[in-house]
Every structure is written in structure tokens, then in C-alpha cells.
Amino acid sequence: KVWLNDVELDLTRTEFDLLDALSTSPRRAFTRRQLIDAVWGSDWYGDEHIVDVHVGHLRRKLADDAASPRFIRTVRGVGYGMAS
């Protein structure tokens, strides 16, 4: 379960797994491929930008602004990480 300001968020399994993967190393920047391996498995094949779609959904549910992130930061040229 994920809570934000005493409200339980209704996350999909993929969103939860993505947040879990990012939070395992909060100071680290993960590539899309690393996140795919962690969430979908290393045998997953397809467009790596699926990560962007799910990060967008997760940000919306967290009321997180990509321009001024509280939770998920975009790391240019790398991928994503937890905001500090």
C-alpha cells in the first residue's frame, strides 16, 4: 500500500512495482532498461518508452510535477530517480 497525506493511493501493480524499484536506491538514476528489467523482467521486449507512460501515470496519482518534482525526478540522458 502507498499512502500520501493520509490517503491511500490506488496504484496499479505496475505503478507500485515502478515506485518500489525507484525507492530501492533513492539517490540513484535508473535507465529505462534497468526499470524495465526490475518491473517487467529482463525478457520483456518492446518500446522502452513504456516506462515514460507509467511514470506519467504515477506522477499524476502522486500529484507530482515533473518541472518541480517532489517524488520522481527525470534525469536527462539517463532516465528516472527519486527526487531528493
Side-chain angles (χ1 to χ4, degrees), residues 50-68:
I50 191 158
V51 174
D52 304 339
V53 172
H54 288 281
V55 165
H57 294 177
L58 191 52
R59 280 180 169 152
R60 201 167 330 152
K61 290 181 180 181
L62 291 168
D64 201 16
D65 179 9
S68 180

Side-chain angles (χ1 to χ4, degrees), residues 28-42:
R28 178 178 171 193
F30 293 88
T31 65
R32 287 180 183 91
R33 185 71 243 177
Q34 289 169 322
L35 291 170
I36 286 170
D37 290 349
V39 175
W40 287 271
S42 59

Side-chain angles (χ1 to χ4, degrees), residues 8 10 83:
E8 183 178 355
D10 185 24

